[in-house]
Amino acid sequence: MASYESVLDSVGATPLLRLTRSAAGLCPRIYVKPEWQNPGGSVKDRAALSMLRRAEAEGELRPGGTVVEVTSGNTGIGLALAAAHLGYRAVVFTSSTIAQEKRAQLAAYGAELRLVDAFVPKDHPDSVHAQGRRFVEETPGAWFAHQYDNPANPAAHYATTGPEIWTDTEGTVTHFVATVGTGGTVSGTGRYLKEVSGGRVRVIGADPLTSAYSGGDGSQKYIEGAGHFVHPETAQDLWPQSLDTTVIDDYAPVDDQSAIDAVRWLARTEGILAGGSSGVALAAAFRLAEHLTEDDTVVVLLPDSGRSYLSTYFDDAWLTANGFTAPTAPARTAANAAGADEPTAGAGAGGPTVGAYATPAPYVERGEAVAEAVRRLATAGVADDDVVLVVHPRDARVLAPHPSDVIGWTTPARLRGAATVAGTARRVGPKLGRGLALTAPAVTAWAAADGEVALVLDQGRVAGTVARRQLRPQPVQRAAEHTG
């Protein structure tokens, strides 16, 4: 058994695990690399340690200094772990939307959390990135890791992750599948595997369906740490310098529901509990494997553990609240996996649900000409008093709007004669999954002060709207008593 002189020495050297039941019916060998076996629980420990050591070597980080990062969680955890061991202060800027488990882990390592939820472009002074940079400028001895543009990020994977995969497969790997986030993992690992194999290994970038990396519209998704979101008011979309697009042979877009299904299926067939971004890579790998032969070896990198998402992707209540379906087998596995028992779908709520009262959600874009918007809605048969959503514009919209793209609601009657579309927008109420029972707390707690119209979600996207009065309990009508 290996022994280490410090926790930092234990970063890396994660194993490969072959999939059997979840991959039944597929020809190639499929291995997963469980990166949660790093001490901080994710693949980001590799990049965090590499970036920190380079900063020390170059004199950017000195004893008593402060480590600062903007992150969706895992890189912050890796940096916080290393900072705790080495005696640095750690300050992490992130959003309150990250999994509660990640926030708790950051706090456990002694990191200071700065939660920033302003929905603004990166270059806006209120953005999480701007606030992180400003903190560094104002804090003596502070060092900004900036994983998106730090060359030590992909360098960590070129030096460790790639060689581990090549050695552990004895050079038989033919395909490497990894989710694209900052780009460091897929770029560094992929570049090494391509070089050592003489270009034989193909690198697949698994990407959320709406991510700009693979040609999506850049709208938000529900899988943390994966893909590339573009704020609708972004003037110039700058991609991370950590991402080397020349390394990636193909992109594989994956929708949120498929990613969630993949990791839940993995847990129930293999006993492997992986996080949401792992589901993106798994779904892409299963799809890829349908076209490969027994001569191929596929390695799928799983960035982190599902333990960080027990309150989200593995929680039926969270799924229902956001309009996702109960756990099922991925479509490919359900059709082809011989001998694998399909998980039992979650029981329905029973009784009427929010979706039964939803109406379609036509929308107009914020900057659209009012006259054109009114004409278009009339042509579509939208009545004067029908609810119409006002949304941020998206070129070549891939799916129905994400809730973050909704500005408010209006009606054709309010639009008619208005100066601007945005000027007619009213506040929207809560976000309600279409499968929520009318007795669910999110429904019963809906007060008039929260808005009179709510968004109805199907797989996390806005599929319709519902008025508060439609979901309010109806008074019981009692028959009048007959008198003699």
Side-chain angles (χ1 to χ4, degrees):
M1 180 178 292
S3 62
Y4 302 99
E5 297 304 308
S6 91
V7 67
L8 302 185
D9 293 336
S10 68
V11 173
T14 57
L16 292 181
L17 307 176
R18 185 169 180 177
L19 301 186
T20 54
R21 295 183 70 229
S22 63
L26 294 172
C27 294
R29 297 172 295 279
I30 302 179
Y31 291 90
V32 295
K33 193 166 177 63
E35 285 296 295
W36 57 82
Q37 293 198 18
N38 285 298
S42 86
V43 68
K44 294 297 187 177
D45 288 1
R46 298 177 187 259
L49 181 58
S50 175
M51 293 188 296
L52 190 148
R53 288 305 195 194
R54 178 172 291 190
E56 289 178 327
E58 296 179 353
E60 296 179 0
L61 180 62
R62 301 180 182 278
T66 300
V67 175
V68 182
E69 182 60 314
V70 174
T71 172
S72 61
N74 283 331
T75 303
I77 290 170
L79 288 168
L81 177 155
H85 181 76
L86 297 171
Y88 296 114
R89 175 190 180 194
V91 180
V92 174
F93 287 78
T94 188
S95 164
S96 63
T97 61
I98 69 167
Q100 182 61 42
E101 294 89 342
K102 289 183 182 178
R103 291 171 58 178
Q105 191 173 352
L106 283 163
Y109 285 123
E112 301 170 33
L113 270 66
R114 305 296 174 90
L115 301 181
V116 181
D117 290 321
F119 187 66
V120 292
K122 285 184 179 180
D123 57 359
H124 190 283
D126 293 333
S127 75
V128 63
H129 290 84
Q131 292 194 40
R133 288 193 297 269
R134 190 158 58 245
F135 178 86
V136 171
E137 293 170 357
E138 297 171 353
T139 305
W143 165 71
F144 191 19
H146 200 37
Q147 59 180 318
Y148 291 88
D149 295 336
N150 193 323
N153 177 357
H157 300 286
Y158 183 87
T160 65
T161 316
E164 288 171 22
I165 291 172
W166 185 254
T167 299
D168 291 345
T169 61
E170 298 180 337
T172 63
V173 57
T174 57
H175 297 78
F176 173 62
V177 183
T179 306
V180 187
T182 65
T185 301
V186 70
S187 298
T189 307
R191 181 159 58 88
Y192 177 86
L193 292 175
K194 280 185 172 295
E195 289 180 3
V196 75
S197 69
R200 176 174 54 82
V201 175
R202 293 189 63 80
V203 177
I204 311 301
D207 203 31
L209 184 61
T210 58
S211 168
Y213 288 144
S214 53
D217 58 20
S219 63
Q220 282 283 22
K221 68 291 186 267
Y222 284 74
I223 302 300
E224 292 182 16
H228 184 60
F229 165 71
V230 182
H231 190 278
E233 296 176 358
T234 298
Q236 183 180 12
D237 179 23
L238 299 177
W239 287 16
Q241 294 177 24
S242 295
L243 173 62
D244 182 357
T245 58
T246 65
V247 169
I248 300 174
D249 294 297
D250 296 295
Y251 286 94
V254 175
D255 63 273
D256 289 326
Q257 183 74 63
S258 295
I260 293 169
D261 284 347
V263 288
R264 294 189 67 136
W265 181 245
L266 186 72
R268 294 171 183 225
T269 57
E270 303 280 2
I272 298 175
L273 192 63
S277 58
S278 298
V280 177
L282 279 167
F286 285 143
R287 191 188 311 160
L288 168 71
E290 292 179 339
H291 307 286
L292 301 180
T293 72
E294 61 274 6
D295 295 326
D296 293 302
T297 299
V298 180
V299 174
V300 188
L301 188 136
L302 306 185
D304 64 359
S305 170
R307 290 182 181 180
S308 294
Y309 309 95
L310 295 177
S311 62
T312 54
Y313 313 130
F314 293 93
D315 184 81
D316 288 355
W318 182 89
L319 290 178
T320 303
N322 289 284
F324 292 101
T325 61
T328 60
R332 186 228 55 93
T333 309
N336 300 331
D341 299 325
E342 181 174 348
T344 302
T353 61
V354 169
Y357 293 86
T359 57
Y363 57 85
V364 292
E365 294 186 340
R366 180 197 59 212
E368 191 173 354
V370 172
E372 173 58 24
V374 171
R375 185 201 63 76
R376 183 169 56 79
L377 293 170
T379 301
V382 180
D384 272 4
D385 293 331
D386 286 349
V387 172
V388 176
L389 296 178
V390 179
V391 302
H392 288 289
R394 288 274 176 199
D395 292 334
R397 192 180 295 276
V398 174
L399 299 171
H402 184 277
S404 64
D405 273 345
V406 177
I407 298 170
W409 68 276
T410 186
T411 65
R414 285 178 57 83
L415 283 169
R416 192 171 290 108
T420 64
V421 167
T424 69
R426 294 180 177 180
R427 178 184 180 184
V428 293
K431 300 183 289 292
L432 306 174
R434 62 182 178 84
L436 277 175
L438 300 193
T439 54
V443 178
T444 59
W446 182 7
D450 298 325
E452 288 297 330
V453 172
L455 304 178
V456 179
L457 305 183
D458 182 6
Q459 296 189 21
R461 317 299 291 196
V462 181
T465 60
V466 64
R468 192 176 73 93
R469 64 178 181 274
Q470 294 176 270
L471 305 186
R472 294 170 70 178
Q474 299 299 311
V476 177
Q477 299 296 325
R478 295 184 178 180
E481 294 184 353
H482 292 284
T483 59

